[in-house]
């Protein structure tokens, strides 16, 4: 049994070939910064932040559609807070049009909109449903509730993404990655089995990691030792299993189907999202076909940052034109965005 001190010592004094490790989960990016992990690692081990912050990968066309719906009389946009300041294809965001007459409500759970919709049956409530496998069951539960309670005035504008397909896309398109920290929350739902074919195909190790400092260090230590081997190792067995949560998967499959969807900075990735099935299209606010992605600021390098091809600090706008108060791209908006966490934690490597 290796102790935490031995793990730290190994990772600090490592002097083998350079290793790029990508954490594909926004919560991991935030936890890595909060625990000061880059400062513990040898200069030969690099941590890269991937496309795992849901707000950061939501394409500009989605934000444009949300803004358009918000300006239609009778519509109420309901959203989590992070999405309020994300720019679309222009610098305009939801927060700004809220001041121009649009009605935008913030909630903490999709089910919070049920009483809102019941109280105002003459309005149409549109939920900005962004997220990964972790949040999709909550949207499925919302649809379940709408059907059961015969609520007619709620729709979803979806931008739901799935992790294995985008990781496969990164590997197939030259992202310089030697190992992945697999997303802990997503793996609770999907199980870690879904990463095994990718690990084998590209001979890249995956370590499913928790969110505490010692859990992250144990996973990093494990995958550094496995570089070059196509294996998935579960370092978060208290909540993650190989098969995942079957009940949540069944609920998702009842209402949603796999689809090709657009990612900010990456374009359309085959089979990497979920859309409502045709028989539930009455709950859809126009999510199909949102494939365009234009930058509000053309100098923004979010695409390269999300691919692991550039560190946030290498973007010419980082910390100058682009700050959390003046975000030029989605990666600076969310508290889980790589540019946001690098800037607010003074991270340089
Ligand atoms: Fe885009 Fe700002 Fe990040 Fe640069 S620092 S990549 S402009 S979000």
């Amino acid at each position: 049994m290796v102790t935490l001190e031995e793990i730290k010592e190994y990772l600090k004094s490592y002097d083998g070939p350079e290793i790029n490790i990508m954490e594909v989960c926004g919560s991991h990016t935030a936890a890595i910064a909060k625990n000061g992990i880059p400062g513990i690692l040898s200069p030969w081990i690099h941590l890269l932040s991937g496309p795992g912050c849901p707000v950061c990968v939501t394409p500009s066309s989605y934000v444009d559609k949300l803004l358009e719906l918000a300006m239609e009389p009778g519509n109420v946009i309901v959203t989590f807070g992070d999405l309020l300041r994300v720019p679309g294809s222009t610098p305009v965001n939801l927060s700004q049009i809220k001041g121009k007459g649009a009605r935008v409500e913030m909630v903490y759970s999709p089910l919070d909109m049920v009483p809102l919709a019941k109280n105002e049956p003459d309005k149409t409530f549109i939920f900005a449903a962004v997220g990964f496998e972790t949040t999709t069951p909550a949207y499925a539960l919302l649809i379940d509730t709408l059907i059961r309670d015969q609520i007619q005035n709620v729709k979803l504008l979806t931008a739901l993404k799935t992790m294995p397909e985008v990781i496969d896309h990164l590997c197939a398109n030259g992202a310089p990655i030697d190992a992945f920290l697999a997303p802990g929350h997503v793996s609770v739902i999907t199980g870690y089995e879904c990463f095994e074919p990718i690990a084998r195909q590209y001979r890249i190790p995956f370590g499913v990691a928790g969110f505490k400092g010692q859990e992250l260090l144990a996973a990093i230590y494990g995958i550094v030792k496995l570089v070059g081997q196509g294996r998935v190792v579960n370092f978060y067995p208290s909540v993650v299993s190989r098969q995942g949560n079957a009940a949540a998967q069944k609920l998702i499959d009842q209402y949603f189907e796999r689809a090709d969807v657009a990612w900010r900075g990456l374009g359309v990735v085959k089979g990497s999202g979920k859309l409502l099935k045709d028989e539930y299209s009455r709950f859809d606010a126009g999510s199909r076909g949102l494939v365009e992605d234009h930058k509000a600021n053309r100098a923004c390098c979010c695409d390269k940052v999300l691919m692991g091809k550039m560190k946030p600090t290498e973007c010419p706008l980082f910390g100058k034109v682009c700050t959390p108060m003046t975000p030029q791209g989605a990666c600076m908006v969310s508290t889980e965005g790589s540019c946001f966490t690098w800037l607010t934690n003074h991270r340089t490597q």
Side-chain angles (χ1 to χ4, degrees):
M1 181 80 175
V2 190
T3 66
L4 184 59
E5 286 314 310
E6 287 167 336
I7 287 175
K8 282 186 185 171
E9 182 52 37
Y10 177 85
L11 292 175
K12 188 148 198 76
S13 57
Y14 172 88
D15 62 356
E18 282 197 77
I19 298 174
N20 285 334
I21 299 175
M22 176 175 273
E23 82 272 1
V24 280
C25 167
S27 300
H28 274 160
T29 301
I32 284 166
K34 186 174 150 222
N35 286 286
I37 288 180
I40 295 172
L41 305 180
S42 136
W44 303 107
I45 301 174
H46 309 287
L47 293 179
L48 308 170
S49 305
C53 156
V55 166
C56 305
V57 296
T58 297
S60 56
S61 57
Y62 178 90
V63 178
D64 291 346
K65 179 75 183 176
L66 212 47
L67 295 171
E68 181 192 315
L69 290 167
M71 294 312 291
E72 283 179 21
N75 282 351
V76 181
I77 303 297
V78 185
T79 178
F80 298 134
D82 300 31
L83 211 53
L84 287 174
R85 294 189 309 119
V86 179
S89 59
T90 70
V92 180
N93 60 38
L94 267 182
S95 166
Q96 289 160 333
I97 62 159
K98 195 177 167 185
K100 291 184 180 152
R103 189 166 154 204
V104 181
E105 301 281 350
M106 227 184 78
V107 292
Y108 294 101
S109 154
L111 286 176
D112 289 348
M113 73 189 295
V114 171
L116 298 177
K118 281 183 175 173
N119 283 341
E120 294 184 81
D122 57 322
K123 302 271 191 250
T124 300
F125 288 78
I126 298 166
F127 198 93
V130 304
F132 288 96
E133 292 94 329
T134 327
T135 38
T136 309
Y139 299 126
L141 197 59
L142 173 63
I143 301 290
D144 219 41
T145 307
L146 298 177
I147 293 170
R148 188 196 63 211
D149 293 358
Q150 299 185 351
I151 298 169
Q152 314 285 347
N153 59 329
V154 171
K155 291 179 186 290
L156 271 63
L157 189 69
T158 62
L160 300 174
K161 308 281 198 288
T162 54
M163 274 287 177
E165 290 76 13
V166 78
I167 293 176
D168 191 12
H169 177 85
L170 296 182
C171 294
N173 286 280
I177 301 159
D178 302 299
F180 284 101
L181 277 177
H185 293 144
V186 164
S187 302
V188 171
I189 304 295
T190 61
Y192 63 83
E193 192 177 20
C194 59
F195 301 115
E196 290 174 344
I198 310 168
R200 280 195 297 272
Q201 180 176 352
Y202 299 100
R203 297 187 65 79
I204 293 179
F206 285 62
V208 184
F211 297 86
K212 294 181 185 150
Q214 63 266 40
E215 291 171 337
L216 284 160
L217 285 170
I220 292 168
Y221 171 79
I223 52 180
V224 164
K225 294 255 179 184
L226 290 174
V227 165
Q229 298 182 41
R231 287 179 53 194
V232 180
V233 182
N234 184 11
F235 295 97
Y236 200 24
S238 55
V239 290
V240 174
S241 65
R242 186 158 184 262
Q243 277 80 26
N245 183 329
Q249 292 166 14
K250 190 171 169 215
L251 192 62
I252 293 172
D253 291 343
Q254 185 173 345
Y255 296 110
F256 294 98
E257 63 188 7
R258 185 167 297 285
D260 303 345
V261 298
W263 295 62
R264 189 177 289 246
L266 304 180
V268 174
V269 178
K270 197 166 172 47
S272 67
K274 297 279 186 189
L275 287 169
L276 278 164
K277 289 179 174 175
D278 275 349
E279 59 260 50
Y280 302 107
S281 60
R282 64 187 183 282
F283 296 112
D284 190 88
S287 316
R288 286 183 185 265
L290 298 176
V291 294
E292 299 289 326
D293 189 31
H294 299 293
K295 294 177 183 178
N297 186 323
R298 291 176 67 181
C300 170
C301 304
C302 271
D303 46 350
K304 296 187 186 71
V305 170
L306 292 170
M307 286 282 286
K309 292 183 174 177
M310 181 188 258
K311 291 177 188 170
T313 43
E314 291 167 345
C315 169
L317 306 183
F318 180 84
K320 301 178 189 110
V321 178
C322 185
T323 70
M325 297 306 290
T326 56
Q328 303 299 305
C331 297
M332 189 59 91
V333 175
S334 167
T335 51
E336 294 191 348
S338 39
C339 298
F340 181 98
T341 54
W342 280 59
L343 187 69
T344 54
N345 290 282
H346 311 290
R347 184 173 160 186
T348 54
Q349 70 158 33

